[in-house]
Amino acid sequence: MASIQTGVAAVSATDIIENARRLRRETAADVHEVLVEAIYADAARIADRAVARPGRPARPTLDRTLDRILTSRVWGFPIMLLLFALMFWLTIIGSNVPSGMIADQLVGRLWPVLRELATSLGLPWWLKGLLVDGVYLSTAWVISVMLPPMAIFFPLFTLLEDFGYLPRVAFNLDRAFKQVGAHGKQSMSLMMGFGCNAAGVVATRIIDSPRERLLAILTNNFSLCNGRWPTQILIATIFIGSLVPAQWAGLVSAGAVTAVALLGIGFTLAVSWALSRTVLRGEVSAFSLELPPYRPPRFWQTLYTSLIDRTIFVLWRAIVFAVPAGAVIWLSANLNVGGVSLAQYLMHYADPVGVLLGLNGVILLAYIIAIPANEIVIPTVLMLTVLVTGSQGIGEGAGVMFELDSLDATRSLLEAGGWTLLTAVNLMLFSLLHNPCSTTIYTIYKETGSAKWTAVATLLPLALGFAVTFAVATVWRWAS
Amino acid sequence: MSLPFIVSLVIIAALLLWPDSGLVARWRQARVRAARVRREDALKHVLKCEVNGELPTLNSVAGALHIRDGAAADLIADMEAHGLISIGEGRIRLRQPGRELALHIVRAHRLWESYLAEQTGVAEAKWHQLAERKEHQLSPEDADALAARLGNPLHDPHGDTIPAAGADLPADTGRPFSTAPLDTPVLIAHIEDEPEAVYRQIQALGLRPGMKACIFAKEDGCIRFWADGREHNLTPILANNLAYVPLVGTTREDLFDEEFLSELHPGERARMLGLSAACRGAERRRLLDLGFVPGTMIEVELVSPSGDPIAYRVRGTVIALRREQARLIRIGNRETIPTEAVAS
Amino acid sequence: MSEVPNTAIAPPTEACAKCEVYRAANLKKLGVNPGQWDHIVALAGNPNTGKSTVFNALTGLRQHTGNWPGKTVTRAEGGFAYADRRYKIVDLPGTYSLLSTSLDEEVARDFILFGQPDVTVVVVDASRLERNLNLALQVLEITDRAVLCLNLMDEARRHGLTVDDRQLARDLGIPVVPTSARSGEGLPALLQAIADVATGRVVCRPHRLEQEPPAVRAALNELVAQIRRMHPDLPNARWVAMRLLGGDENLAAALQRGELGGQRAQAAVAS
Ligand SMILES: Nc1nc2c(ncn2[C@@H]2O[C@H](COP(=O)(O)OP(=O)(O)O)[C@@H](O)[C@H]2O)c(=O)[nH]1
Ligand SMILES: [Mg+2]
C-alpha cells in the first residue's frame, strides 16, 4: 500500500517539478527578490505594531561613541595593540607565582612521595621510571606550566569576545585582508586560532568562497595557539625580560610576545598574498559583516565558564597527550643503542641542523616528540637538556622530566645546555612557524577533504620556520 | 649489443608504447579529444545559427572554429557520418542526437560561466575562455549538479538564457545597442563574448547585462551614453556587441540621477532603490537577506580606519560592506540627518 | 573554541539544576545524551541572538557563546526532560534567511526543512525585531509548530524599547515568550510553551504572507493548486511552490523522494 502510494507520488512530483521549471522561466521577476521584499514588508508591519519606544534611548549613543573611538583612524590600531599587549602582560605577571606554587606541590612534594610509594610497592625499576618519572612528571609539568597562564588568558579573551570587540577587529583589519586577496572574515578565524587552531580551522566555515576559505585554513597556523603561549611566555620571561631592569621585565616580555603574535598576523597576510598570487589565484569576493551591539559581559559568569570550558578542556587535552609523550621521552632516554641512549643518538644527528638554524638538536627533537600537542614542547626540551648536559644534580637521572622551582634555575640549566639569546629568539620564532599539531592537521583534512592541501598546510609553515630561523641565525652570527 | 643498450631500448619502447599511458597512447587520446572538441564546437555553432535564423555554412563553420575550409569540410562530413547532422539541399541541419549534444554544450558553457562568476574569484575576463574548455568536460549529470548548486540560474553573466536540461534554446534577445533610440533608457540584455578582445574592452568599462543605459549623443565614431551612474563611450563596432531591449517606466532623469551607496557620506542617510544588475547570484541573495531591499533607509554608521569597509545602519543593525559592494546598491532621496535625530 | 570536538562539552553542573527557577520549571538537564526522546526541538534564529545561550541553559551543556556572528558553525544536540517528557534539542548555526545557500547556513536550513522538528523555537533579538522577523516569517511559512523566543529583553529595555508580546503573538499566531536567556529570565515560560506546542495542547495558526507579490501570483497559484491536489495535507504548499519557483533543487529532490514536512506523517497514517 505504502509503496503504491510512493509510486504514484513520484510520478506527480515529477510533473510538479517540470511545471515549476516552466513557470519559473515564464515569470519575469526574480522570485527570490520579490519574496524577500514581501517578507520584509510584512515584518516591518508586524514589528511596527508590537514595538514602542516610550523613553529616549540612552545606549545607542554610548555604543556609537565607543565605536567611533575603537574604529577611529587615529586610535583604532593603537587601542587594538594595547589591548592585546595588556592581555599578555596580565598573563605574564599573573601566572609567574601560581606556576611556581603548583610545581612546588606536584613536583616538590608529591613526586618524591610517589617514588617512595613505587619503591615500597616493589615495582621494577623500569616500570617505576616509566610511570613516575615519565608519565607522572610530564603531566605535572604540563599542568604547572599551562594552567596559570590559561586561567588568566582565556577569561580575558572571553571578556573581550563577549563584549563584542572581535567583529570590530575584523572591521579594522579588513582592508589589509582585502589587499592580500583574502576574505575579511579571515580575521575572525584568525582570532579563534589564538585559542586553538583546530577551532580556528572549523571557524573558517563562515567564509563562503572556497578559495578564500582555503586561504584562511592554510594560514590559520600562524595564529599563536594556546599550546604555544606557555613556550612564548616562558622563553620571553627568562631570556628577554631579563635583558632589562627587573621592574620593566614584565612589560618587555609582554612586548616580545605581542611582537611574535603580530609577526604571526604579518605572516598570515604575507602568505595569503603569496598564495593568492600563485596557486590560489583569484579576486576577492564579497564581504558583509554584522557588527553586533556591545554587550557588557557578566564578569563572574564569564570567569567561571571560560575557566571550566576552555581552560579545563585545553588542559585536559594537553594532559592526554603528555601521558604517552612522557613515556616516550623516558623510554628514548633509557633505551640504549650501542651504549648511547636513543635520545642522545637522535640528538647527535639533529644537532648540526639545529645549530645551523640557531637552535639545537634538543629543540628539534622536542618538536618531533611534541607533534601530537604543542603544549609539551617546553617540558621535553628541559628533560632532553638535562640528558645532554648531564646535570645530574638538578634532575633525577636520565629521562626524568623535572620541575625547576625558579626561573633562574631553568635559565641556568638552559645556559648550561648552550643556550644563548639567539637560541631563545629563534625558539620563539620556530614555535610560531612550524607544523600544526596533529589535531589541527586532522581537522584540516576533514574540512578540506584533500590530502594535498593538508600537506601544504602542514609543510608550508615548517619550511617557513626553517627559512626564517636560518636567516635570523645567519644574520645574527654575521652581525656579532 | 650490450645489456645497457637493450635495457634502454626496452624502457624507451615502454614509455612510448605502454597501453593507455604511453606517449603514443596519450597522443592518440589527445587527438581523439581534440576531434571531439572540434565536433562539439561545430555543433554549437550550427545550433546558434539555427535559433537565430541564420544559415550555417561551410564557411561560417570554418570561421567560427578558426580552421581552414578543407578541415571544416572534413569535419562536416565526419559529423554527418556520425548521424549528428544532415545535409540536404546544401543546408546543414541538426539531427536529434546532434541537437541534444549541442544544447548540452551550450548549457554546460553558460552554467560554468555562472559558476565562475558567482562562486569563485576568477577574473571576469577569463570566464569565457575557461568555460570554452570546461564545456567539453562536463557530463549532463555534472551540469545538472552544477545547476542545482547554483540555484538553477536562468541567465548566465552575459545575460544569455541557460537552457534547461533537455529544453530548447531560445533565440538571442535584443537588438544592436548602436541602433537604440536617443535619450531613451534601455536595458542592456546581452553582451557578446566573442571576439574576446572586444569583450574584454567592454567588460573593462564595467558594463553588464541587466544595466540600464541611455544614449545621449551619437557622434561619428563614438556613441556616448550613461549607465550605472556615469558616462561611457563606445565605438559603434564595440557597441554592436551589446544588445538592448526596450525599457518601460524609466525616464531619462531617473537614470541620470542614479546614485550608489558608496557615495553616501557619514552623517547622511538615503533610501535604497534597488540592487545594481552587476550584483548577481549568491552575493545578491545575501544582500537581500541582510535587509538591503528597496525602500529601506540606510545611513553611514562607521568608517573603518583605512576608509574601507564602511558600516551602514540598515533596519536597526550595523552591517559592514566593502566599497565594491556598496557600489552595487542604488540609493535615492539622499539627505543630511538632522543633528537631534543623531542624538536620539 | 569548544565547537570542534563535542567532548569539549562538560556534563551539566549540579549547582544550576538545583536553583529555584529550574526546580519551579520542573526541568531536568540531560546533557549530550538524551537517550530516548519524545520530541525534537530546533533552535533557529539570526546569528548572535542567544540561541546557544538558550541551548546551554536548557541542556546544561557548554556550547560556545560569544558576541559575534558566526561562532556556531556546526549543529549541536542535547537533551532535557520537562514535565515527564524527554526532548532532544538542536542548536543550529545562525542564519539570516532560509532562502540563500551558504555553507554554515545550509546546516540550519536543512534541519528545519528536513529534520522534521516537532517544535521550532525561533530565537529573536527583541531590540532588532524587524530584521529578525524576516527569518521568523520564513520559518512560519514552513511549519505551523513554532514558538517565538523574544530574547535579549534586558537589552531592549535598556535601549528604552517595549515590545508588546501579546500583540506579536496575535499577529504571528504562535506563542511568544519574552526572555533574557543569559540570566535565565523567562525560561520556565519558554519551556511551558515548547511543551504546549509539542504535545498539541496549543495549536498554532501561523502568520502567512499577507499579500502574494503580484509579479509571481499567477505562477504561484497554479503551482500551489497542483501541489495541493497531490498532497492535500501538506501544511506548507505555498512555501514549497515559492521555493520551486525560486529554483531550489534541494527542495525539488526532497519532493521527489517524498520527504517534505507532513508527507512522512501522511505516509505513516496511510500504511
Ligand atoms: N544581555 C543579554 N545578553 C545575552 C542574552 N542572551 C545571550 N546573550 C549574549 O549574546 C551573545 C550571543 O549569544 P549566543 O548564544 O552565542 O548567540 P547565538 O549566535 O544565537 O548562538 C553572547 O555574548 C551572550 O552572552 C540575554 O538574554 N541578555
Ligand atoms: Mg550559537
Side-chain angles (χ1 to χ4, degrees):
Chain A
M1 158 93 211
S3 67
I4 294 171
Q5 216 190 9
T6 24
V8 172
V11 173
S12 41
T14 315
D15 294 346
I16 292 175
I17 292 164
E18 288 299 314
N19 199 22
R21 288 203 179 127
R22 181 182 58 78
L23 286 169
R24 180 158 176 257
R25 277 165 197 283
E26 287 168 5
T27 310
D30 178 336
V31 178
H32 181 259
E33 204 153 328
V34 167
L35 205 60
V36 174
E37 277 172 36
I39 293 174
Y40 262 116
D42 262 21
R45 201 168 329 121
I46 294 173
D48 202 42
R49 270 207 291 260
V51 181
R53 191 184 282 274
R56 257 182 164 245
R59 293 293 298 192
T61 38
L62 189 63
D63 268 32
R64 204 170 270 197
T65 318
L66 206 53
D67 256 340
R68 293 269 147 86
I69 298 169
L70 291 181
T71 64
S72 94
R73 195 175 276 271
V74 182
W75 295 110
F77 289 116
I79 289 179
M80 214 163 77
L81 275 184
L82 273 180
L83 273 175
F84 280 100
L86 182 72
M87 268 196 324
F88 299 144
W89 181 68
L90 286 175
T91 310
I92 287 175
I93 56 162
S95 52
N96 234 335
V97 176
S99 254
M101 272 163 39
I102 295 175
D104 229 30
Q105 293 301 319
L106 292 183
V107 184
R109 297 207 177 169
L110 199 53
W111 183 45
V113 175
L114 285 176
R115 284 183 74 109
E116 260 160 47
L117 187 72
T119 316
S120 65
L121 284 177
L123 294 185
W125 73 271
W126 58 269
L127 190 59
K128 177 182 133 193
L130 194 68
L131 290 181
V132 181
D133 298 342
V135 171
Y136 170 76
L137 259 191
S138 65
T139 313
W141 224 109
V142 163
I143 293 176
S144 58
V145 164
M146 292 195 61
L147 183 59
M150 283 189 336
I152 298 174
F153 181 76
F154 278 156
L156 288 176
F157 191 78
T158 313
L159 282 177
L160 269 193
E161 184 185 342
D162 271 347
F163 180 56
Y165 186 60
L166 299 196
R168 271 74 187 179
V169 175
F171 182 63
N172 286 347
L173 286 179
D174 177 60
R175 179 67 183 275
F177 279 96
K178 177 174 147 186
Q179 277 171 348
V180 301
H183 199 279
K185 285 183 185 167
Q186 188 172 330
S187 48
M188 299 295 238
S189 59
L190 178 143
M191 275 179 287
M192 291 298 281
F194 281 151
C196 164
N197 291 139
V201 168
V202 176
T204 60
R205 290 191 194 179
I206 53 175
I207 299 173
D208 289 338
S209 135
R211 182 189 78 90
E212 285 150 34
R213 176 151 186 250
L214 198 52
L215 274 183
I217 290 177
L218 293 181
T219 55
N220 196 269
N221 190 44
F222 298 123
S223 300
L224 215 47
C225 72
N226 66 65
R228 297 181 266 171
W229 288 119
T231 311
Q232 296 288 342
I233 290 174
L234 188 79
I235 299 298
T237 315
I238 293 180
F239 282 93
I240 298 185
S242 64
L243 294 177
V244 293
Q247 68 266 35
W248 296 108
L251 266 184
V252 169
S253 340
V257 178
T258 313
V260 174
L262 284 180
L263 195 66
I265 298 182
F267 271 106
T268 301
L269 291 172
V271 170
S272 300
W273 180 84
L275 286 174
S276 56
R277 264 166 200 60
T278 50
V279 275
L280 288 174
R281 217 176 296 230
E283 278 167 25
V284 288
S285 69
F287 159 81
S288 56
L289 175 74
E290 183 182 340
L291 298 178
Y294 292 107
R295 290 183 180 145
R298 301 214 301 174
F299 190 77
W300 294 111
Q301 195 184 357
T302 305
L303 223 60
Y304 173 77
T305 47
S306 67
L307 203 71
I308 300 293
D309 294 1
R310 299 189 163 188
T311 312
I312 302 296
F313 162 62
V314 173
L315 191 68
W316 177 243
R317 195 184 91 98
I319 291 173
V320 166
F321 282 110
V323 168
V328 167
I329 293 167
W330 188 87
L331 283 175
S332 69
N334 286 280
L335 284 182
N336 286 350
V337 184
V340 195
S341 75
L342 195 61
Q344 247 157 344
Y345 188 76
L346 289 174
M347 272 184 294
H348 175 72
Y349 280 103
D351 214 43
V353 182
V355 169
L356 202 61
L357 299 178
L359 300 166
N360 53 42
V362 169
I363 297 176
L364 289 189
L365 187 60
Y367 268 99
I368 293 173
I369 293 178
I371 284 177
N374 285 299
E375 291 85 344
I376 54 176
V377 164
I378 281 292
T380 314
V381 163
L382 291 180
M383 183 281 292
L384 292 173
T385 306
V386 176
L387 198 67
V388 176
T389 56
S391 319
Q392 293 292 339
I394 309 177
E396 291 274 340
V400 176
M401 262 203 234
F402 57 91
E403 169 60 15
L404 298 149
D405 6 26
S406 72
L407 293 171
D408 280 342
T410 315
R411 184 192 173 98
S412 49
L413 170 76
L414 290 177
E415 278 174 350
W419 285 50
T420 61
L421 188 57
L422 170 64
T423 324
V425 168
N426 269 0
L427 174 57
M428 286 176 78
L429 289 174
F430 193 70
S431 146
L432 174 72
L433 302 169
H434 70 279
N435 55 291
C437 72
S438 54
T439 316
T440 307
I441 295 177
Y442 177 63
T443 311
I444 292 174
Y445 179 70
K446 263 199 324 197
E447 293 292 315
T448 59
S450 141
K452 183 183 107 191
W453 288 118
T454 310
V456 172
T458 309
L459 299 178
L460 185 77
L462 196 61
L464 270 174
F466 284 146
V468 168
T469 49
F470 175 73
V472 169
T474 312
V475 171
W476 189 291
R477 283 173 188 143
W478 174 75
S480 59
Chain B
M1 270 192 292
S2 66
L3 186 67
F5 181 72
I6 295 176
V7 169
S8 323
L9 214 60
V10 168
I11 290 177
I12 291 171
L15 274 178
L16 280 175
L17 302 174
W18 199 270
D20 289 347
S21 56
L23 286 178
V24 172
R26 287 204 183 175
W27 178 74
R28 214 180 264 142
Q29 285 158 10
R31 265 187 49 136
V32 170
R33 214 166 23 234
R36 182 166 67 85
V37 166
R38 256 201 318 276
R39 214 160 41 224
E40 289 175 351
D41 282 341
L43 285 174
K44 193 167 71 169
H45 169 74
V46 175
L47 177 72
K48 282 189 179 170
C49 287
E50 203 173 78
V51 297
N52 290 323
E54 292 155 20
L55 277 183
T57 61
L58 188 129
N59 284 338
S60 76
V61 169
L65 272 67
H66 309 293
I67 52 176
R68 281 173 294 105
D69 284 359
D74 291 347
L75 183 60
I76 289 170
D78 172 60
M79 291 198 294
E80 195 187 13
H82 277 86
L84 297 170
I85 54 174
S86 64
I87 306 175
E89 304 152 23
R91 276 191 61 186
I92 304 175
R93 287 200 187 79
L94 285 172
R95 298 175 64 163
Q96 195 51 28
R99 179 183 312 279
E100 274 168 21
L101 185 53
L103 272 165
H104 163 67
I105 297 295
V106 171
R107 175 171 152 82
H109 180 99
R110 296 184 178 174
L111 279 171
W112 194 252
E113 282 190 341
S114 306
Y115 165 73
L116 292 176
E118 287 178 22
Q119 301 204 344
T120 70
V122 173
E124 190 171 348
K126 298 202 190 109
W127 295 345
H128 179 71
Q129 207 184 339
L130 290 174
E132 275 295 290
R133 217 173 313 147
K134 195 74 185 180
E135 64 189 12
H136 305 291
Q137 296 162 9
L138 293 174
S139 69
E141 293 74 40
D142 293 341
D144 288 346
L146 188 62
R149 184 162 155 205
L150 294 170
N152 276 324
L154 296 175
H155 300 282
D156 75 0
H158 307 301
D160 293 324
T161 306
I162 299 175
D168 279 339
L169 187 69
D172 291 341
T173 45
R175 275 167 283 161
F177 185 56
S178 56
T179 64
L182 266 182
D183 287 331
T184 317
V186 297
L187 193 73
I188 300 179
H190 169 72
I191 299 183
E192 183 53 47
D193 47 17
E194 281 181 320
E196 205 176 312
V198 174
Y199 172 63
R200 234 176 247 210
Q201 248 173 305
I202 294 173
Q203 76 92 21
L205 292 173
L207 297 173
R208 304 282 187 290
M211 271 181 183
K212 293 171 187 165
C214 179
I215 300 181
F216 57 85
K218 285 186 191 172
E219 293 148 15
D220 32 278
C222 179
I223 292 178
R224 298 174 60 194
F225 63 101
W226 189 266
D228 211 25
R230 59 202 154 106
E231 191 189 320
H232 300 266
N233 297 313
L234 280 180
T235 60
I237 298 175
L238 285 185
N240 275 344
N241 265 33
L242 304 180
Y244 80 94
V245 291
L247 187 68
V248 279
T250 310
T251 65
R252 194 193 128 103
E253 282 65 40
D254 292 343
L255 203 63
F256 278 76
D257 295 341
E258 225 172 29
E259 285 179 301
F260 295 89
L261 188 56
S262 51
E263 295 158 35
L264 199 65
H265 297 299
E268 288 183 332
R269 68 180 165 210
R271 187 171 295 282
M272 175 172 163
L273 298 179
L275 291 172
S276 148
C279 178
R280 315 186 60 248
E283 186 181 357
R284 189 181 188 93
R285 292 196 289 269
R286 169 50 58 103
L287 284 177
L288 286 166
D289 290 340
L290 284 173
F292 288 93
V293 290
T296 309
M297 291 304 294
I298 306 180
E299 59 187 86
V300 174
E301 176 81 20
L302 279 179
V303 181
S304 81
S306 44
D308 183 24
I310 292 179
Y312 301 94
R313 182 169 285 279
V314 188
R315 292 180 186 257
T317 310
V318 181
I319 290 172
L321 298 180
R322 285 178 177 171
R323 182 180 299 279
E324 292 75 22
Q325 281 165 293
R327 272 274 306 148
L328 301 176
I329 297 170
R330 290 188 294 118
I331 55 169
N333 301 19
R334 201 162 133 177
E335 61 182 22
T336 315
I337 305 169
T339 32
E340 61 271 45
V342 173
S344 64
Chain C
M1 62 146 303
S2 27
E3 302 287 353
V4 195
N6 271 338
T7 46
I9 294 163
T13 46
E14 284 301 310
C16 212
K18 284 199 189 99
C19 68
E20 211 51 51
V21 170
Y22 295 107
R23 260 222 306 273
N26 214 351
L27 170 76
K28 192 154 150 249
K29 301 170 182 185
L30 298 174
V32 260
N33 216 339
Q36 288 287 330
W37 62 82
D38 304 306
H39 303 288
I40 302 181
V41 180
L43 282 173
N46 284 18
N48 218 27
T49 53
K51 293 176 297 300
S52 297
T53 310
V54 170
F55 177 85
N56 290 350
L58 295 184
T59 59
L61 295 174
R62 303 188 188 288
Q63 266 295 298
H64 182 191
T65 65
N67 192 9
W68 55 284
K71 67 223 156 269
T72 308
V73 286
T74 49
R75 83 178 207 224
E77 300 182 355
F80 65 89
Y82 175 76
D84 297 334
R85 279 175 188 264
R86 297 167 82 87
Y87 295 82
K88 181 171 105 168
I89 183 165
V90 182
D91 184 27
L92 296 170
T95 116
Y96 290 102
S97 148
L98 299 176
L99 302 169
S100 289
T101 38
S102 78
L103 195 60
D104 51 333
E105 295 194 349
E106 217 164 68
V107 179
R109 212 187 64 136
D110 286 353
F111 190 80
I112 300 173
L113 273 180
F114 309 125
Q116 308 234 344
D118 296 304
V119 185
T120 305
V121 177
V122 187
V123 183
V124 299
D125 178 347
S127 55
R128 296 181 166 58
L129 197 55
E130 181 182 331
R131 152 178 313 277
N132 281 249
L133 281 181
N134 172 42
L135 178 77
L137 291 179
Q138 290 181 30
V139 171
L140 292 189
E141 288 288 330
I142 299 176
T143 170
D144 43 14
R145 289 143 84 82
V147 172
L148 193 83
C149 170
L150 198 55
N151 194 29
L152 292 151
M153 280 303 285
D154 53 335
E155 203 134 291
R157 279 194 292 267
R158 224 179 37 221
H159 290 185
L161 297 173
T162 57
V163 183
D164 184 348
D165 52 300
R166 291 173 175 219
Q167 176 65 39
L168 206 53
R170 261 197 303 277
D171 278 342
L172 295 177
I174 56 169
V176 173
V177 186
T179 62
S180 299
R182 209 163 65 168
S183 56
E185 178 193 322
L187 291 183
L190 180 65
L191 279 166
Q192 188 56 47
I194 292 174
D196 285 346
V197 174
T199 54
R201 230 181 335 234
V202 164
V203 178
C204 304
R205 289 186 209 304
H207 169 96
R208 295 282 152 99
L209 265 190
E210 274 162 29
Q211 284 155 8
E212 273 139 8
V216 294
R217 188 177 298 148
L220 209 54
N221 286 343
E222 181 179 339
L223 215 51
V224 168
Q226 208 177 11
I227 296 171
R228 287 245 163 85
R229 229 175 302 135
M230 178 181 156
H231 296 298
D233 303 335
L234 199 66
N236 45 20
R238 207 167 50 130
W239 193 84
V240 172
M242 288 193 270
R243 290 313 295 145
L244 288 179
L245 268 187
D248 185 335
E249 274 309 294
N250 277 349
L251 199 80
L255 183 71
Q256 199 69 277
R257 291 191 304 265
E259 275 174 11
L260 285 188
Q263 272 174 272
R264 198 170 69 176
Q266 203 185 320
V269 171
S271 58

